[in-house]
């Protein structure tokens, strides 16, 4: 149990970040804070994907002259590719959300979700 204390540490951090992101999205009324909550959720999901794909002592799959013991210990490249794709898509989504927030502020003069709902009608 000495070396296995921190085995689940990344998953604990992911759970904390997910809770923080959902709390921010659900209970904050400022649109910028909601965008930050979505970014926290995105970071938690990316961390989860990387943590699932981690192999202790694993070898890089692009290494062409891998030693014989590396045959069964190669790290799958799929989690890293999914994470990179998620980061790129997340940047685009964040830019879109912030553009919406700027337009809402220009139109309504506030970033408070409850005031925007009241002014809409």
């Amino acid at each position: 149990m000495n070396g296995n204390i921190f085995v689940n540490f990344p998953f604990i951090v992911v759970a904390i970040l997910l809770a923080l992101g959902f709390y921010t999205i659900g209970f904050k009324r400022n649109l910028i804070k909601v965008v930050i909550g979505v970014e926290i959720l995105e970071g938690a999901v990316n961390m989860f994907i990387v943590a699932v794909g981690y192999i202790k002592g694993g070898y890089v799959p692009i290494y062409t002259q891998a030693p014989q013991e590396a045959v069964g210990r190669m790290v799958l490249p799929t989690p890293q590719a999914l994470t990179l794709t998620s980061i790129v898509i997340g940047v685009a989504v964040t830019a879109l959300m912030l553009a919406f927030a700027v337009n809402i502020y220009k139109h309504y003069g506030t970033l408070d979700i409850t005031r925007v709902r009241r002014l809409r009608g």
Side-chain angles (χ1 to χ4, degrees):
M1 184 159 177
N2 290 342
N4 294 334
I5 293 174
F6 294 107
V7 171
N8 292 328
F9 184 70
F11 299 108
I12 294 169
V13 172
V14 165
I16 292 169
L17 287 175
L18 283 172
L20 182 64
F22 282 126
Y23 169 78
T24 306
I25 291 172
F27 293 106
K28 297 298 178 183
R29 299 294 172 223
N30 189 322
L31 283 175
I32 301 299
K33 291 179 182 178
V34 171
V35 171
I36 291 171
V38 170
E39 287 301 306
I40 291 171
L41 278 178
E42 178 191 343
V45 169
N46 289 338
M47 181 182 265
F48 177 74
I49 293 172
V50 170
V52 167
Y54 175 74
I55 297 175
K56 186 174 183 177
Y59 290 91
V60 180
I62 60 172
Y63 186 57
T64 57
Q65 297 175 350
Q68 190 63 22
E69 69 266 6
V71 173
R73 297 189 50 82
M74 292 252 182
V75 178
L76 292 175
T78 309
Q80 289 104 10
L82 286 173
T83 303
L84 184 61
T85 304
S86 173
I87 291 170
V88 171
I89 292 170
V91 168
V93 170
T94 302
L96 186 64
M97 288 188 298
L98 290 174
F100 283 146
V102 167
N103 283 333
I104 287 171
Y105 184 76
K106 284 181 182 177
H107 189 265
Y108 294 110
T110 184
L111 290 173
D112 187 11
I113 295 171
T114 56
R115 290 186 58 198
V116 169
R117 286 183 188 154
R118 271 190 253 128
L119 294 174
R120 193 177 75 186

